[in-house]
Amino acid sequence: MAKFLADVTVMLHIVALLFIGLGGFLAWRWPKVVFVHIFFAIWGVLVNITPIPCPLTALENYFRHQQGLGDLPGGFNAYYFYDTLFPRSFLPVIAVFALALLVLSYVGAYQRWRHRDHSGDAHAHAAHLG
């Protein structure tokens, strides 16, 4: 059971990372998602640049210990991504790309929000005049 729960934790962790990276685009459709996304994005940055531990990594380590395994060597990102999905030397490029993606998603969400407010005002104004 511990292996299954560890695998579920890994999948949840990957979904959380995808939400951190791409969640701003969800705000294009559902604007209130931006508040949850901001929390996750700040949390993701803090976990990666400070000694604050990630609760999902801690949970996976707990299930690994139940299987007689040790902690993830180097943490979640180092174990699953660095030198597996991409070379560690690409980290600066990936960080710039991720930041650009975040800015693009928020600019797009803002533009859609702004456009929706103006189009709603135009319809209300036209209905009021007629």
Side-chain angles (χ1 to χ4, degrees):
M1 184 64 152
K3 177 163 180 22
F4 171 75
L5 292 173
D7 291 343
V8 168
T9 305
V10 170
M11 288 187 293
L12 182 61
H13 210 152
I14 290 170
V15 167
L17 289 173
L18 287 171
F19 182 69
I20 289 169
L22 303 173
F25 292 104
L26 292 176
W28 290 22
R29 175 71 174 100
W30 301 288
K32 292 180 182 177
V33 167
V34 78
F35 299 109
V36 176
H37 184 259
I38 288 169
F39 170 79
F40 270 82
I42 290 170
W43 184 259
V45 169
L46 287 175
V47 163
N48 281 288
I49 65 169
T50 69
I52 294 173
C54 175
L56 291 171
T57 301
L59 187 60
E60 184 179 355
N61 283 336
Y62 172 78
F63 293 129
R64 288 175 57 87
H65 283 272
Q66 286 187 334
Q67 299 173 70
L69 302 171
D71 288 348
L72 287 170
F76 184 85
N77 292 341
Y79 186 75
Y80 290 106
F81 299 133
Y82 306 160
D83 298 326
T84 302
L85 290 180
F86 56 84
R88 191 178 297 264
S89 61
F90 281 17
L91 280 175
V93 173
I94 291 169
V96 168
F97 178 75
L99 182 61
L101 204 59
L102 178 71
V103 168
L104 175 67
S105 72
Y106 278 25
V107 166
Y110 173 74
Q111 290 295 332
R112 290 182 61 90
W113 171 77
R114 197 173 121 223
H115 182 279
R116 182 172 17 180
D117 282 352
H118 289 305
S119 65
D121 289 344
H123 292 300
H125 184 66
H128 187 284
L129 292 176

